[in-house]
Amino acid sequence: ESAEHGHAEAQYSLGWCRRRGRGVVRDVEEALRWYRISAEQGHAEAQYDLGMCYEHGDVVEQDEAEAVRWYRMSAEQGHAGAQCNLGYCYQCGIGVDQDEAEAVRWFRMSAEQGNAMALYNLGCSYQRGDGVEKDER
């Protein structure tokens, strides 16, 4: 009921449950609809999940630029997973022009929140000298 009344967290939760079939009939298209409604209200986790859907072509047609758009919205709100994924997109040129320095910037923001994958990616960037001065220490 809260989801129907515009509550972004409830909308996200309903999408999450629909996607997994938790307590409701599994319906991935309905899940995507609720994710989008929540994400458009600025819900960072919904934006992150939409980014994942678009990056991997899960439930929607794969669209890397659209994935980056949703990751960026979430990352700018401080979502560590979105920051890490956005960094990876910049590192590999997925949906954006490849930019190692920008990748490092996003990895660092995510790593500062303790995201293990971002810490790993940041360490690899330093080891290889990608976007930063090489430092194998």
Side-chain angles (χ1 to χ4, degrees):
E1 190 172 310
S2 293
E4 295 287 350
H5 288 98
H7 188 269
E9 180 66 28
Q11 293 164 340
Y12 170 73
S13 294
L14 183 54
W16 189 92
C17 290
R18 283 282 187 194
R19 187 171 183 193
R20 289 159 183 81
R22 298 276 172 94
V24 293
V25 174
R26 185 172 190 269
D27 184 338
V28 292
E29 290 185 13
E30 187 69 5
L32 183 68
R33 184 176 83 82
W34 284 111
Y35 279 168
R36 185 175 308 284
I37 291 168
S38 179
E40 288 171 352
Q41 291 189 72
H43 192 278
E45 191 71 25
Q47 293 167 339
Y48 171 72
D49 281 359
L50 268 180
M52 295 282 287
C53 289
Y54 279 104
E55 182 181 359
H56 301 289
D58 181 21
V59 186
V60 295
E61 186 174 327
Q62 186 177 26
D63 184 336
E64 293 171 344
E66 189 69 3
V68 167
R69 184 173 85 85
W70 288 110
Y71 284 152
R72 184 180 313 283
M73 282 190 259
S74 182
E76 287 174 349
Q77 293 186 69
H79 189 285
Q83 291 168 338
C84 184
N85 286 11
L86 186 56
Y88 182 76
C89 289
Y90 275 105
Q91 183 180 52
C92 299
I94 297 170
V96 291
D97 291 335
Q98 188 174 13
D99 184 337
E100 295 286 353
E102 188 68 4
V104 166
R105 184 173 86 82
W106 287 108
F107 288 152
R108 183 173 287 118
M109 279 190 260
S110 182
E112 286 172 355
Q113 295 186 67
N115 183 288
M117 183 58 70
L119 287 162
Y120 173 78
N121 289 338
L122 188 60
C124 290
S125 294
Y126 274 100
Q127 184 179 32
R128 293 186 308 257
D130 293 341
V132 291
E133 187 175 327
K134 189 172 183 174
D135 183 352
E136 294 184 10
R137 287 181 283 148

